[in-house]
């Protein structure tokens, strides 16, 4: 490999934190995800929108390395998910659809454990756990047993385990599901804060949802997936300029109409 | 390596706050105490009777290792066979229920680190059970004079047996998300392993399988009973140690393969 090729590789890796290329997932004859490609840049908050069963969770599970795709490849923070899985996984914080929780552990000891799994250096552990607790509003329940917390608090614990090691990439699968309106706005505020440029640049966030208002509240860009294929990839401002309401676009996408907006998907 | 200790440490701290662990420990201590006491009392009765009848030959032959510890270890073996599945059933199954399987498999850890961490936690707990058995055999040293190394060898046999059972139980837990299924699967596997020698003997005796046939050889190799009995008699053979290492490795490889395949399901 020549030097020129190498440096152009690394420039590409720097500018995009998530690089999904032609990802497909088949379960037997059933295709859950088909040829999904997109990039997410530094500090971007991208809404991943689609009706139930569209393939959001499947796509996220592939991006986080939980399941392998049938076809396609992905890079996370410049690391190939399949040739450097450990480096790629170290760069990700993931909140699965149902928050991973050990009911018998205390909130704090759980976050300490996760920070060890994610290779956070020992010297930074205490500070990072304190910060995650504070950001998720968990400081006052840190010594409580997780199984005894309310659903809203357990969701926050799920979010805290995703951000505790301050990964450059966050993959959040329906982060506000099951929360009350006040909790929802707190979580949205938190996600917006994460993306704000800090010492390591803003964290890149991709969050799935089927709530349109959520995308409008915190995302600048939207990806719409329907029946496993990406049907729209657009900046919200671009939609607004063309006089399109997200709601209409989404309804048309869900009905299987192809949308002549934003980037032409799949080309 | 650091991941292994983190995983094992978390597993142990969860195990020790779970009711299953306390029930298992208590049950084991009660059963061990009961069988130990029964053994000692019947030994006392035999000695007293032999003395009253002046059976000097018998009195010379009878000793604590053969009359008390041998049967005690034999019973503890069966108790472990039924209790170990109880402590291993949650090792992997509970991660699936908790949703933490998704955390583990998306963390920068290898499947081997996960499997070894889990296994070590189970093995430490099993060692605690064997320690309880060791406590009772220790009492015997206050009461009489059993052979020290022979006793240690028997305890070692019990420990190795329990460690191989933990590996089997870990595998059973890795194939299901239901702890009850994991428990019974482990029990069935252990009972099959346990019966292999018996079946080989029966088959050979009944002529269904020749005593020297390959099948009978394999069954005898896989069976732990002869090896355990040798260790209870105080014979520590490297081939028998290698057997336990082999069984543990085989089931850990199965476990690793099974955990890995969760990604493909
Ligand atoms: N393990 C699986 N086996 C078979 N089908 C699956 C599996 N996981 C998901 N699916 C199917 O794939 C489709 C997409 O699911 P999912 O990604 O969970 O959708 P979403 O998160 O958008 O609601 C659904 O129709 C679902 O039933
Ligand atoms: Mg989903």
């Amino acid at each position: 490999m020549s030097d020129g090729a190498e440096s152009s590789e690394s420039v590409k890796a720097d500018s995009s934190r998530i690089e999904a290329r032609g990802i497909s997932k088949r379960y037997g004859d059933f295709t859950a995800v088909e040829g999904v490609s997109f990039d997410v840049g530094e500090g971007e908050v991208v809404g991943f929108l689609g009706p139930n069963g569209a393939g959001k969770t499947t796509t996220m599970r592939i991006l986080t390395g939980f399941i392998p795709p049938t076809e396609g490849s992905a890079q996370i923070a410049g690391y190939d998910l399949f040739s450097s899985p450990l480096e790629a996984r170290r760069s990700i914080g993931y909140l699965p659809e149902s928050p991973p929780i050990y009911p018998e552990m205390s909130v704090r000891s759980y976050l300490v454990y996760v920070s060890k799994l994610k290779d956070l250096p020992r010297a930074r552990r205490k500070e990072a756990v304190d910060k995650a607790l504070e950001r998720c509003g968990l400081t006052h329940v840190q010594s409580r047993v997780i199984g005894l917390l309310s659903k809203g608090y357990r969701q926050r614990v799920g979010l805290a385990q995703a951000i505790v090691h301050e990964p450059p990439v966050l993959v959040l699968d329906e982060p506000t599901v099951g929360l009350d309106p006040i909790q929802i706005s707190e979580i949205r505020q938190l996600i917006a804060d994460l993306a704000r440029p800090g010492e390591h640049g803003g964290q890149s966030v991709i969050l799935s949802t089927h709530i349109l208002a959520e995308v409008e509240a915190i995302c600048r860009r939207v990806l719409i997936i329907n029946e496993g294929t990406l049907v729209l990839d657009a900046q919200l401002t671009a939609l607004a300029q063309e006089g399109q309401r997200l709601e209409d676009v989404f309804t048309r996408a869900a009905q299987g109409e192809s949308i002549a907006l934003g980037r032409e998907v799949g080309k | 390596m650091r991941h292994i200790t983190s995983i094992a440490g978390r597993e142990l701290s969860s195990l020790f706050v779970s009711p299953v662990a306390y029930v298992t420990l208590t049950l084991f201590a009660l059963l061990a105490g009961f069988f130990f006491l029964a053994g000692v009392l019947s030994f006392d009765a035999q000695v007293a009777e032999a003395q009253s009848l002046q059976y000097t030959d018998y009195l010379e032959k009878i000793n604590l290792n053969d009359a008390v510890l041998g049967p005690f270890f034999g019973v503890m073996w069966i108790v472990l066979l039924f209790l170990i599945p109880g402590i291993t059933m949650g090792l992997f199954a509970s991660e699936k229920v908790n949703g933490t399987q998704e955390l583990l498999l998306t963390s920068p850890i290898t499947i081997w680190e996960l499997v070894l961490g889990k296994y070590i936690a189970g093995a430490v707990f099993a060692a605690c059970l064997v320690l309880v058995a060791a406590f009772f055999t220790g009492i015997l040293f206050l009461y009489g004079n059993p052979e020290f190394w022979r006793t240690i060898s028997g305890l070692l046999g019990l420990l190795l047996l329990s460690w191989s059972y933990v590996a089997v139980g870990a595998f059973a837990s890795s194939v299901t998300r239901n702890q009850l299924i994991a428990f019974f699967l482990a029990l069935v596997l252990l009972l099959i392993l346990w019966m292999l020698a018996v079946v080989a003997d029966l088959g050979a005796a009944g002529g269904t399988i020749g005593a020297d046939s390959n099948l009978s050889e394999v069954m005898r190799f896989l069976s732990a009973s002869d090896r355990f009995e040798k260790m209870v008699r105080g014979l520590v053979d490297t081939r028998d140690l290698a057997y336990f290492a082999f069984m543990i490795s085989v089931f850990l490889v199965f476990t690793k393969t099974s955990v890995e395949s969760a990604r493909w399901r």
Side-chain angles (χ1 to χ4, degrees), chain A residues 162-230:
Chain A
I163 66 171
V164 69
H165 57 302
E166 298 184 353
V169 173
L170 282 171
V171 177
L172 311 176
D173 200 351
E174 310 213 3
T176 59
V177 80
L179 302 185
D180 66 40
I182 296 170
Q183 293 168 332
I184 289 179
S185 72
E186 283 171 2
I187 297 285
R188 287 178 183 168
Q189 186 58 50
L190 168 62
I191 293 168
D193 285 348
L194 292 171
R196 199 159 295 141
E199 47 183 315
H200 310 294
Q203 285 169 289
S204 305
V205 184
I206 176 165
L207 66 97
S208 77
T209 180
H210 51 258
I211 307 164
L212 296 168
E214 185 137 299
V215 176
E216 285 166 334
I218 43 179
C219 306
R220 271 187 296 170
R221 184 171 150 215
V222 61
L223 298 173
I224 297 183
I225 187 171
N226 188 47
E227 291 178 356
T229 39
L230 214 51

Side-chain angles (χ1 to χ4, degrees), chain A residues 117-265:
Chain A
L117 288 183
K118 307 284 179 179
D119 293 328
L120 195 73
R122 178 191 283 268
R124 280 176 45 209
R125 214 174 277 156
K126 188 187 173 301
E127 192 194 341
V129 169
D130 284 338
K131 192 167 162 193
L133 285 167
E134 199 216 297
R135 291 188 113 167
C136 298
L138 290 166
T139 310
H140 64 293
V141 294
Q142 57 176 298
S143 47
R144 297 261 298 271
V145 168
I146 303 172
L148 299 178
L149 295 176
S150 69
K151 184 160 174 13
Y153 272 103
R154 271 184 271 169
Q155 187 74 16
R156 293 190 200 194
V157 173
L159 196 56
Q161 64 80 30
I163 66 171
V164 69
H165 57 302
E166 298 184 353
V169 173
L170 282 171
V171 177
L172 311 176
D173 200 351
E174 310 213 3
T176 59
V177 80
L179 302 185
D180 66 40
I182 296 170
Q183 293 168 332
I184 289 179
S185 72
E186 283 171 2
I187 297 285
R188 287 178 183 168
Q189 186 58 50
L190 168 62
I191 293 168
D193 285 348
L194 292 171
R196 199 159 295 141
E199 47 183 315
H200 310 294
Q203 285 169 289
S204 305
V205 184
I206 176 165
L207 66 97
S208 77
T209 180
H210 51 258
I211 307 164
L212 296 168
E214 185 137 299
V215 176
E216 285 166 334
I218 43 179
C219 306
R220 271 187 296 170
R221 184 171 150 215
V222 61
L223 298 173
I224 297 183
I225 187 171
N226 188 47
E227 291 178 356
T229 39
L230 214 51
V231 291
L232 178 79
D233 178 349
Q235 300 289 334
L236 288 181
T237 49
L239 286 184
Q241 271 166 19
E242 307 204 14
Q244 298 274 351
R245 286 171 57 223
L246 187 56
E247 197 182 334
D248 300 333
V249 173
F250 182 66
T251 314
R252 276 163 43 211
Q255 285 162 353
E257 234 180 272
S258 65
I259 299 167
L261 263 178
R263 177 167 76 85
E264 266 191 280
V265 165

Side-chain angles (χ1 to χ4, degrees), chain B residues 31-102:
Chain B
L31 289 170
F34 172 77
F35 286 112
F36 178 76
L37 203 65
V40 170
L41 290 180
S42 98
F43 178 79
D44 254 0
Q46 281 174 47
V47 171
E49 197 182 336
Q51 275 168 343
S52 72
L53 295 173
Q54 302 276 309
Y55 286 165
T56 40
D57 289 3
Y58 184 70
L59 280 172
E60 255 163 47
K61 263 203 325 226
I62 192 168
N63 67 68
L64 284 170
N65 281 90
D66 285 337
V68 178
L69 287 179
F72 175 70
F73 285 143
V75 174
M76 286 303 99
W77 172 17
I78 305 304
V79 172
L80 282 176
L81 192 147
F82 281 90
L83 289 188
I84 299 255
I87 47 174
T88 55
M89 64 185 182
L91 283 181
F92 293 94
S94 67
E95 302 278 357
K96 294 171 208 167
V97 175
N98 291 339
T100 41
Q101 168 127 317
E102 249 172 296

Side-chain angles (χ1 to χ4, degrees), chain A residues 56-57 97 173-174:
Chain A
K56 302 183 294 295
T57 298
E97 203 162 25
D173 200 351
E174 310 213 3

Side-chain angles (χ1 to χ4, degrees), chain A residues 61 64-68 86 89-90 94 96 99-105 110 113-114 116-119 161, chain B residues 2-3 6-7 10 14 17 95 98-110 118 262-265:
Chain A
R61 285 181 159 176
T64 53
F66 181 60
I67 55 174
L86 297 186
R89 282 189 238 147
R90 203 171 285 136
Y94 175 38
I101 266 161
Y102 293 102
E104 71 282 357
M105 285 182 101
Y110 176 51
Y113 174 61
V114 173
K116 289 179 189 167
L117 288 183
K118 307 284 179 179
D119 293 328
Q161 64 80 30
Chain B
R2 272 174 300 113
H3 293 144
S6 302
I7 291 165
R10 197 215 65 79
S14 280
V17 297
E95 302 278 357
N98 291 339
T100 41
Q101 168 127 317
E102 249 172 296
L103 163 69
L104 292 169
L105 295 187
T106 58
S107 287
I109 62 172
T110 64
K118 292 277 178 182
R263 288 189 195 280
W264 301 92
R265 266 182 242 134

